[in-house]
């Protein structure tokens, strides 16, 4: 068979590119798996966050805050004659 | 020389050769000829395209408090064919699903022949885990999202609700469905023999989560409004009650409540009459609450001044076959007093001085009988008869609010003209980050004058129950008879109050409507105005609005510390 330098070089390049293709495919699959893992992690954190948002909102609904303030802490709104309005530049 | 066993040698060679040839041919058939079908068969068993769920956006109030949040739940799915082979495990399964065995039996048999069925939707993850641990073949979990409404019934009419598939059905959930809903994605996965996903291969389409919706509502004010409205609804044994609280300058809807209410977390309440948002879906005749616009039209065109006297004696007028009545004979009233005492005859006489289409134009400019297009679903436009169709009777009755129909939200929007020196600010259910200009409905002078009359309505007229300690408020009462087929009911009323505070520089506008109160009282001034007063007292404090009526209040009460 007649082989010159250029053919050899091309053959080597083809071989390298073939190997590189295989390597890139493996790498991309691995990266994809990593990405999926991170996405799952993100989703789980999102889920936890959403559940915390709901929990926070449930604990802090005005209806409940009001009930706790009134019944458990014995608080009440100040009566009309217990309010003093202060204005800037005025002596109370 | 002839080799010994040559025959045998060739026999073996040929036999083996034929064997290899058959193998090669088969290999050729499998690998080359049938490759694509076999590959497809293999992929069909291993590869699956699964959807990637996208979460629905949250609905938030103006301060970022969540009003509707999605959280994942597990739904229990089953393959009927496989389940039918596992009847021994049914009692246990039914127990965990929380249904009688007979029901499970019926459910599975009804779905026999299908490839997939839901055994139970949206169970909590803890229970779902135990069901999965039973390891019943054919039973698997499907991740779904469920909508939670932390605020419960207090804001349910505005926020609305979704169906079990998270599709918006009412309220903002329906109106903003396209932006709240996410775009589910797809990915290709490899599954093992037990159908568990063992690895993800590639992403086919990325999922896009729904966008959050920032509403104009303020949860604290919403709670205040809905609490007071519910109390008034119960106390007055009313058919329904509606209230709207607006930011007077920006037109943002800070609170909007209706009674009877419903809890969006309880599915059986949904889609009933209770879930209607009456502030936009129900129209009513506004009655005296539109008299300020009659007065404004007259002041604007210069045909009267606030001090012009009108002779209303003897407290009634005959227009065709209708008699227009006042509650008593006020005799001579100034234009200001017409509003303060809410004289029907006075309003009618003021309107008679106007050009024939002047009042119609004023009503149009402030948006009465026209949808606000604020984006809440099911909003009605109401009705304002065309000016060309007004006869003498229409002129008289439209002057004091009969013969047109509006929604509570429309009426509240119309009052922004008095609060903003003549400019109507369109209402919005979404948070506004930049101020809107609105449009001019009357001169600034007229708006200020009517506002001061409205303050007199509260301080010395029909609206005294709308007073708020330490603040000057302005507003108008309304009491109309319920329209029935062929006339007006004698004993059924709609009581309303609409007003603003503080009177000199309004920050809030509130409209309250109580439909058919059947307690001891039925006047707007005695049924609706107290709700305004109680809500405003709390709302002005929460909004940090400085009291503007300290002199009158100081004169009445002895403040500790001797405040000047």
């Amino acid at each position: 068979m007649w082989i010159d330098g250029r053919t050899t070089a091309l053959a080597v390049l083809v071989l390298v590119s073939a190997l590189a293709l295989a390597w890139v495919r493996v790498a991309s699959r691995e990266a994809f798996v990593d990405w999926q893992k991170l996405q799952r992690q993100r989703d789980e954190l999102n889920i936890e966050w959403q559940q915390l948002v709901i929990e926070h909102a449930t604990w802090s609904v005005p209806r409940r805050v009001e009930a706790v303030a009134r019944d458990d802490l014995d608080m009440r709104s100040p009566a009309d004659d217990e309010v003093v309005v202060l204005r800037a530049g005025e002596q109370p | 020389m002839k080799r010994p066993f040559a025959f045998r040698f060739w026999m073996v060679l040929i036999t083996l050769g034929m064997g290899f040839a058959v193998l090669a041919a088969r290999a050729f058939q499998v690998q080359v000829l049938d490759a694509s079908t076999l590959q497809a068969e293999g992929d069909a068993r291993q590869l699956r395209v699964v959807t990637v769920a996208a979460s629905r956006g949250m609905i938030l109030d103006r301060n970022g408090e969540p009003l509707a949040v999605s959280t994942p739940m597990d739904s229990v799915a089953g393959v009927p064919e496989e389940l039918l082979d596992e009847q021994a495990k049914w009692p246990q399964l039914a127990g965990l699903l929380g249904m009688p065995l007979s029901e499970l039996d019926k459910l599975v048999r009804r779905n026999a022949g299908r490839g997939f069925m839901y055994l139970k939707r949206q169970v909590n993850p803890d229970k779902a885990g135990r069901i999965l641990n039973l390891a019943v073949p054919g039973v698997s979990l499907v991740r779904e999202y469920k909508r939670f409404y932390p605020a419960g019934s207090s804001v349910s009419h505005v926020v609305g609700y979704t169906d079990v598939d998270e599709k918006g059905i009412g309220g903002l959930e329906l109106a903003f469905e396209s932006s709240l809903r996410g775009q589910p994605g797809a990915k290709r996965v490899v599954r093992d023999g037990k159908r568990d996903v063992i690895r993800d291969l590639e992403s086919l389409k990325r999922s896009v989560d729904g966008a959050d919706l920032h509403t104009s509502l303020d949860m604290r004010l919403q709670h205040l409004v809905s609490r007071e409205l519910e109390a008034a609804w119960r106390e007055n044994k009313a058919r329904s009650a509606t209230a709207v609280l607006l930011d007077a300058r920006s037109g943002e809807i800070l609170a909007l409540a209706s009674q009877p209410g419903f809890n969006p977390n309880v599915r059986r309440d949904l889609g009933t009459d209770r879930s209607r948002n009456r502030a936009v879906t129900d129209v009513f005749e506004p009655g005296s609450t539109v008299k300020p616009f009659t007065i404004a039209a007259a002041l604007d065109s210069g045909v009267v001044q606030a001090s012009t006297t009108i002779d209303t004696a003897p407290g009634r007028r005959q227009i065709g076959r209708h008699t227009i009545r006042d509650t008593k004979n006020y005799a001579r009233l100034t234009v200001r007093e017409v509003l303060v005492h809410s004289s029907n005859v006075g309003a009618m006489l003021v309107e008679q001085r106007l050009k024939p289409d002047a009042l119609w134009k004023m009503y149009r400019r402030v948006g009465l009988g026209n949808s606000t297009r604020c984006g809440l679903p099911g909003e009605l436009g109401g009705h304002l008869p065309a000016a060309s169709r007004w006869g003498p009777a229409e002129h008289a009755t439209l002057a004091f609010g009969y013969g047109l129909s509006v929604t509570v939200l429309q009426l509240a929007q119309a009052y922004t003209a008095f609060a903003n020196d003549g400019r109507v600010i369109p209402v919005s259910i979404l948070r506004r980050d930049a101020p809107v200009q609105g449009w001019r409905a009357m001169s600034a002078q007229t708006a200020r004058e009517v506002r001061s009359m409205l303050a007199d309505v509260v301080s010395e007229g029909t609206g005294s129950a709308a007073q708020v300690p330490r603040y000057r408020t302005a507003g108008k009462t309304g009491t109309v008879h319920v329209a029935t087929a062929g006339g007006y009911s004698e004993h059924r009323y709609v009581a309303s109050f609409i007003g603003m505070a503080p009177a000199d520089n309004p920050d809030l506008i509130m409209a309250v409507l109580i439909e058919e109160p059947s307690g001891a009282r039925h006047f707007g001034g005695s049924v609706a105005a107290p709700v305004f007063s109680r809500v405003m007292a709390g709302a002005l404090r929460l909004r940090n609005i400085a009291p503007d009526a300290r002199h009158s209040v100081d004169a009445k009460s002895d403040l500790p510390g001797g405040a000047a």
Side-chain angles (χ1 to χ4, degrees):
Chain A
M1 223 197 292
W2 180 81
I3 298 170
D4 68 2
R6 267 196 302 184
T7 316
T8 316
L10 278 173
V12 168
L13 282 177
V14 166
L15 191 72
V16 167
S17 125
L19 288 173
L21 176 70
W23 180 79
V24 164
R25 284 197 72 154
V26 168
S28 97
R29 290 237 162 134
E30 278 171 0
F32 181 75
V33 168
D34 279 352
W35 179 58
Q36 286 291 306
K37 211 157 70 186
L38 288 170
Q39 265 193 332
R40 251 196 306 277
Q41 210 174 347
R42 180 203 64 185
D43 291 347
E44 273 160 26
L45 289 171
N46 262 336
I47 288 164
E48 193 184 344
W49 177 73
Q50 273 168 335
Q51 279 163 349
L52 289 172
V53 163
I54 291 173
E55 194 178 333
H56 177 230
T58 310
W59 287 115
S60 62
V61 277
R63 195 179 287 270
R64 182 179 168 276
V65 172
E66 191 181 296
V68 169
R70 196 192 305 276
D71 304 334
D72 299 352
L73 302 173
D74 266 337
M75 295 171 84
R76 60 176 176 83
S77 300
D80 203 25
D81 58 358
E82 293 169 320
V83 179
V84 183
V85 179
L86 301 178
R87 279 165 213 274
E90 269 182 33
Q91 293 297 315
Chain B
M1 173 193 148
K2 220 175 153 188
R3 273 200 187 174
F5 310 119
F7 175 74
R8 281 199 208 174
F9 173 77
W10 285 111
M11 266 305 283
V12 169
L13 201 66
I14 288 167
T15 311
L16 284 176
M18 275 168 64
F20 276 110
V22 169
L23 279 178
R26 176 65 184 159
F28 179 76
Q29 186 196 9
V30 169
Q31 294 285 343
V32 181
L33 296 180
D34 295 342
S36 56
T37 23
L38 291 173
Q39 188 84 51
E41 287 287 318
D43 286 354
R45 279 164 181 74
Q46 279 203 321
L47 299 181
R48 266 286 183 279
V49 175
V50 296
T51 55
V52 183
S55 71
R56 190 175 174 89
M58 293 197 289
I59 298 179
L60 306 162
D61 88 341
R62 61 186 306 110
N63 302 313
E65 293 290 326
L67 304 176
V69 191
S70 290
T71 188
M73 298 284 271
D74 289 317
S75 283
V76 185
V79 182
E81 290 305 310
E82 293 182 35
L83 276 170
L84 285 168
D85 298 336
E86 298 290 332
Q87 303 203 10
K89 287 189 169 168
W90 284 16
Q92 247 182 313
L93 185 61
L96 277 174
L97 290 169
M99 58 171 83
L101 184 59
S102 58
E103 197 181 319
L104 178 67
D105 189 81
K106 224 166 55 192
L107 194 67
V108 176
R109 286 183 202 284
R110 200 175 45 223
N111 287 285
R114 294 197 189 166
F116 175 92
M117 65 177 286
Y118 281 115
L119 289 169
K120 183 156 193 165
R121 297 193 71 168
Q122 298 182 349
V123 297
N124 71 48
D126 178 48
K127 198 176 222 174
R130 276 188 284 154
I131 291 172
L132 204 60
N133 281 342
L134 276 182
V136 183
V139 172
S140 59
L141 297 182
V142 180
R143 169 111 328 155
E144 288 188 314
Y145 287 84
K146 182 183 155 103
R147 208 75 168 144
F148 272 100
Y149 301 95
S153 56
S154 118
V155 66
S156 50
H157 289 107
V158 184
V159 172
Y161 50 94
T162 64
D163 64 9
V164 75
D165 291 314
E166 276 217 312
K167 189 170 165 297
I169 297 293
L172 293 173
E173 294 271 34
L174 171 63
F176 293 90
E177 168 71 13
S178 56
S179 68
L180 284 167
R181 192 188 50 218
Q183 300 285 332
K187 65 178 175 184
R188 202 187 301 279
V189 297
V190 182
R191 300 194 311 183
D192 64 8
K194 285 184 285 180
R195 298 196 173 189
D196 287 327
V197 172
I198 48 174
R199 63 183 289 204
D200 295 321
L201 272 188
E202 56 179 332
S203 171
L204 300 175
K205 184 165 157 251
R206 291 195 66 166
S207 67
V208 183
D209 286 344
D212 292 346
L213 187 70
H214 294 267
T215 66
S216 59
L217 298 165
D218 183 320
M219 264 314 290
R220 296 173 307 167
L221 299 176
Q222 176 72 35
H223 167 67
L224 195 62
V225 170
S226 92
R227 185 187 69 190
E228 295 302 336
L229 191 71
E230 189 183 349
W233 175 67
R234 288 189 192 288
E235 187 192 323
N236 294 295
K237 302 187 187 69
R239 217 160 86 103
S240 77
T242 313
V244 187
L245 184 68
L246 294 184
D247 181 316
R249 294 184 194 90
S250 70
E252 290 169 288
I253 299 170
L254 297 173
L256 198 164
S258 281
Q259 284 292 338
F262 69 101
N263 184 345
N265 296 310
V266 182
R267 211 142 264 291
R268 114 186 92 78
D269 283 0
L270 308 184
T272 62
D273 187 51
R274 300 181 142 259
S275 58
R276 209 168 67 233
N277 185 359
R278 290 163 204 271
V280 295
T281 63
D282 287 21
V283 294
F284 69 106
E285 282 181 300
S288 305
T289 49
V290 297
K291 274 181 198 155
F293 298 107
T294 306
I295 306 295
L299 292 173
D300 231 19
S301 57
V303 295
V304 296
Q305 261 100 54
S307 56
T308 307
T309 51
I310 311 274
D311 189 3
T312 67
R316 60 175 185 275
R317 284 286 190 285
Q318 194 71 29
I319 299 285
R321 52 192 184 84
H322 301 276
T323 309
I324 313 295
R325 272 178 231 283
D326 280 344
T327 44
K328 68 176 202 193
N329 179 8
Y330 291 109
R332 296 180 71 79
L333 289 174
T334 63
V335 167
R336 174 179 293 271
E337 287 163 341
V338 164
L339 207 54
V340 169
H341 297 297
S342 199
S343 162
N344 291 341
V345 175
M348 179 195 107
L349 293 172
V350 167
E351 199 275 340
Q352 282 178 357
R353 301 192 180 197
L354 285 168
K355 284 203 196 114
D357 63 350
L359 183 61
W360 179 82
K361 279 183 176 162
M362 174 59 78
Y363 282 170
R364 289 289 292 183
R365 279 202 299 273
V366 297
L368 296 181
N370 247 326
S371 165
T372 66
R373 291 186 192 84
C374 71
L376 287 168
E379 181 174 354
L380 289 185
H383 178 64
L384 175 65
S388 57
R389 297 194 359 236
W390 291 21
E394 281 76 19
H395 273 284
T397 55
L398 279 153
F400 55 87
Y402 280 89
L404 76 164
S405 62
V406 302
T407 62
V408 175
L409 190 60
Q410 257 173 46
L411 196 58
Q413 176 180 270
Y415 267 62
T416 59
F418 298 128
N420 288 288
D421 288 346
R423 299 193 79 89
V424 174
I425 310 294
V427 296
S428 167
I429 190 62
L430 299 184
R431 196 173 67 189
R432 278 193 171 134
D433 297 316
V436 285
Q437 280 303 306
W439 59 87
R440 183 157 292 285
M442 60 188 79
S443 73
Q445 168 71 18
T446 298
R448 277 197 288 266
E449 227 164 339
V450 174
R451 202 163 74 219
S452 99
M453 293 179 194
L454 292 173
D456 290 348
V457 171
V458 174
S459 59
E460 57 199 64
T462 53
S464 58
Q467 289 174 6
V468 176
R470 262 162 240 291
Y471 292 94
R472 288 185 62 229
T473 55
K476 186 74 194 74
T477 58
T479 311
V480 296
H481 291 271
V482 173
T484 55
Y488 286 93
S489 163
E490 198 65 38
H491 302 294
R492 289 159 60 205
Y493 303 89
V494 176
S496 55
F497 184 86
I498 168 156
M500 60 199 81
D504 294 328
N505 186 13
D507 178 67
L508 295 168
I509 294 177
M510 185 181 184
V512 183
L513 182 100
I514 313 271
E515 186 194 11
E516 294 187 31
S518 55
R521 293 159 305 176
H522 64 263
F523 286 111
S526 53
V527 171
V531 179
F532 172 90
S533 166
R534 283 194 288 267
V535 168
M536 280 296 175
L540 290 166
R541 184 173 57 78
L542 284 171
R543 302 260 298 173
N544 266 325
I545 304 298
D548 64 340
R550 62 201 164 113
H551 296 301
S552 61
V553 172
D554 287 357
K556 280 191 285 190
S557 62
D558 198 10
L559 291 184

